[in-house]
Amino acid sequence: MSPHNDAPSPAGSFTQTFNMSFRPVAGSGLRNSSSNTNSVYSESPLNDSQYSSSYSSTSLDTDDHMSRPLVPGVYVPTVCFFDPVTEDLDTATIGTHAVRLAKAGVTGLTTQGSNGEAVHLTHSERQTVTQTTRSALNAAGFSHLPVLVGCGAQSVRETIQYCREAYAAGGDYALILPPSYYAPLFSPASASVIEFFNAVADQSPIPLLIYNYPGAVSGMDLSSDVIIQLSAHPNIVGVKLTCGNTGKLNRIVAATKAANKPSSLSASPPFLVLGGSADFTLQSLIGGGHGILAGLANISPKACLEIVRLYREGRLSEAQKMQEVVARGDWAAIQGGIVSTKAGMESWLGYGGYARSPLPHPTSNESAKWKEGFRELVALEKSL
């Protein structure tokens, strides 16, 4: 699925019981609301979820979540890997891929994003992927890297459930799409969407980032006004803009930045604003954005990081030349979505496999096309 249709956007029943009571992360600034005590979204005690991971034989200690601030940089929505025959989770590859990205220097990882095929996973599989990722990072010496977890669902209740499961599996933040299935019935002026995010933020044990991706939610495109309004909630700490609208990005940054700018580029901004695609990394930075959360970084994390470094050093001409290569490579990922991304990884990295059914396996001609589409980008990546 194309993330932003090659153009800026206009302004614009499974249940599972689990055993976790609500526990906000220390320092999250979660607002205490009287509505929380008797909320219709509160959950009864749940059964233990079973995790499998080649990196850990025991579940994480969810009472000992360390603080992992969101700082400017390159975040990667990780690909999910499956056995090519059974389509079972390939936890070994999930873990080794996470460590590869960490060693490349990325700022943080996201599980259960569009590249992670979240819509193809059960609740328990989502937990397994997140815990495998967290455990792999910890075991390899990258316990400081934050893990964001896609937690969007169509109801407030299930979205809160995903947030609690993400926390239990070691996730630090929840990335949430707006609900869209019943969008024609929503209250006007985005009132239903605003109520949705505020209700989830009131109950989530981890802070939220808004995920604005019109292509995944029937064209719903949150305006800068709505996102700025939601940023006032103390448990909503950022946004990913896959809409490709850098004007919107600039308005959000201007409205949410602190009166006193962070003392360094590594400081955590009051509200993290990320571009959602690598093909406008430089444009996002120039517009005041704090970085990207982009699927192409699964293939070329160093190239994405290099654009950020060059921009920060004031080497704009060099950054622009590198952005051109990254944008051409990203076109292959945009055109073919997760199918072409996995085909490119398989061709150039030796692993990637296939997406889960019903997504098709690429033909030999298609695989050759995607390999060629990433050739220039991979050559750049190898040179860094």
Side-chain angles (χ1 to χ4, degrees):
M1 184 182 295
S2 175
H4 50 79
N5 298 318
D6 203 28
S9 58
S13 118
F14 178 90
T15 59
Q16 172 183 334
T17 56
F18 55 94
N19 68 347
M20 233 191 102
S21 60
F22 170 65
R23 292 194 298 265
V25 175
S28 70
L30 180 59
R31 177 175 61 199
N32 290 323
S33 170
S34 59
S35 63
N36 289 353
T37 303
N38 297 307
S39 170
V40 296
Y41 307 118
S42 60
E43 301 283 349
S44 56
L46 304 165
N47 297 326
D48 286 330
S49 298
Q50 296 300 313
Y51 305 111
S52 62
S53 170
S54 60
Y55 288 89
S56 174
S57 61
T58 60
S59 62
L60 295 172
D61 182 356
T62 57
D63 290 320
D64 191 29
H65 277 233
M66 64 183 289
S67 175
R68 299 182 179 96
L70 293 174
V71 299
V74 173
Y75 294 79
V76 189
T78 55
V79 170
C80 188
F81 302 96
F82 306 104
D83 181 280
V85 177
T86 65
E87 294 193 353
D88 291 340
L89 292 177
D90 179 357
T91 54
T93 304
I94 290 169
T96 55
H97 180 63
V99 173
R100 169 184 166 260
L101 295 174
K103 288 181 176 179
V106 302
T107 314
L109 302 181
T110 300
T111 61
Q112 323 313 331
S114 305
N115 279 273
E117 297 183 61
V119 295
H120 289 163
L121 305 179
T122 65
H123 276 244
S124 61
E125 286 178 323
R126 289 186 179 209
Q127 291 173 292
T128 297
V129 170
T130 298
Q131 197 213 7
T132 298
T133 301
R134 178 76 271 161
S135 297
L137 292 175
N138 292 355
F142 297 100
S143 60
H144 63 285
L145 286 189
V147 173
L148 290 65
V149 183
C151 293
Q154 294 303 307
S155 70
V156 171
R157 188 182 187 91
E158 188 174 28
T159 305
I160 293 170
Q161 179 176 332
Y162 275 131
C163 291
R164 290 172 169 169
E165 291 171 353
Y167 174 78
D172 301 294
Y173 301 88
L175 182 67
I176 297 182
L177 286 162
S180 61
Y181 189 87
Y182 289 115
L185 304 179
F186 285 177
S187 300
S190 301
S192 295
V193 172
I194 292 170
E195 180 182 354
F196 167 84
F197 276 103
N198 282 329
V200 173
D202 281 341
Q203 293 288 313
S204 173
I206 51 179
L208 314 185
L209 286 85
I210 301 162
Y211 188 5
N212 190 53
Y213 182 3
V217 289
S218 303
M220 182 185 294
D221 189 5
L222 302 182
S223 71
S224 54
D225 291 340
V226 168
I227 294 169
I228 291 166
Q229 181 177 343
L230 288 170
S231 72
H233 194 294
N235 210 34
I236 299 179
V237 298
V239 63
K240 175 185 179 181
L241 296 172
T242 310
C243 55
N245 190 329
T246 53
K248 180 188 297 182
L249 178 148
N250 184 258
R251 290 189 293 274
I252 296 168
V253 171
T256 58
K257 64 184 178 183
N260 297 316
K261 293 183 179 180
S263 57
S264 72
L265 292 170
S266 62
S268 180
F271 190 78
L272 190 76
V273 182
L274 300 173
S277 186
D279 66 348
F280 62 101
T281 302
L282 183 58
Q283 299 93 312
S284 297
L285 295 169
I286 291 173
H290 304 112
I292 57 170
L293 203 173
L296 189 69
N298 282 286
I299 295 177
S300 58
K302 293 180 181 178
C304 293
L305 287 162
E306 187 68 3
I307 294 174
V308 176
R309 185 183 71 83
L310 291 171
Y311 171 76
R312 288 176 174 176
E313 293 179 359
R315 299 159 65 182
L316 194 58
S317 178
E318 294 172 74
Q320 185 175 0
K321 290 179 181 179
M322 188 159 294
Q323 177 65 77
E324 291 170 358
V325 176
V326 169
R328 286 192 288 268
D330 207 13
W331 186 230
I334 291 170
Q335 287 180 297
I338 188 58
V339 174
S340 64
T341 298
K342 284 192 165 185
M345 293 179 67
E346 187 69 43
S347 295
W348 291 110
L349 304 178
Y351 68 96
Y354 304 113
R356 257 189 181 171
S357 303
L359 287 180
H361 293 190
T363 65
S364 57
N365 287 340
E366 288 170 337
S367 293
K369 172 187 174 182
W370 301 132
K371 180 178 181 179
E372 188 61 31
F374 291 116
R375 180 180 296 277
E376 180 187 27
L377 176 67
V378 172
L380 171 63
E381 181 74 12
K382 290 181 178 180
S383 72
L384 297 172

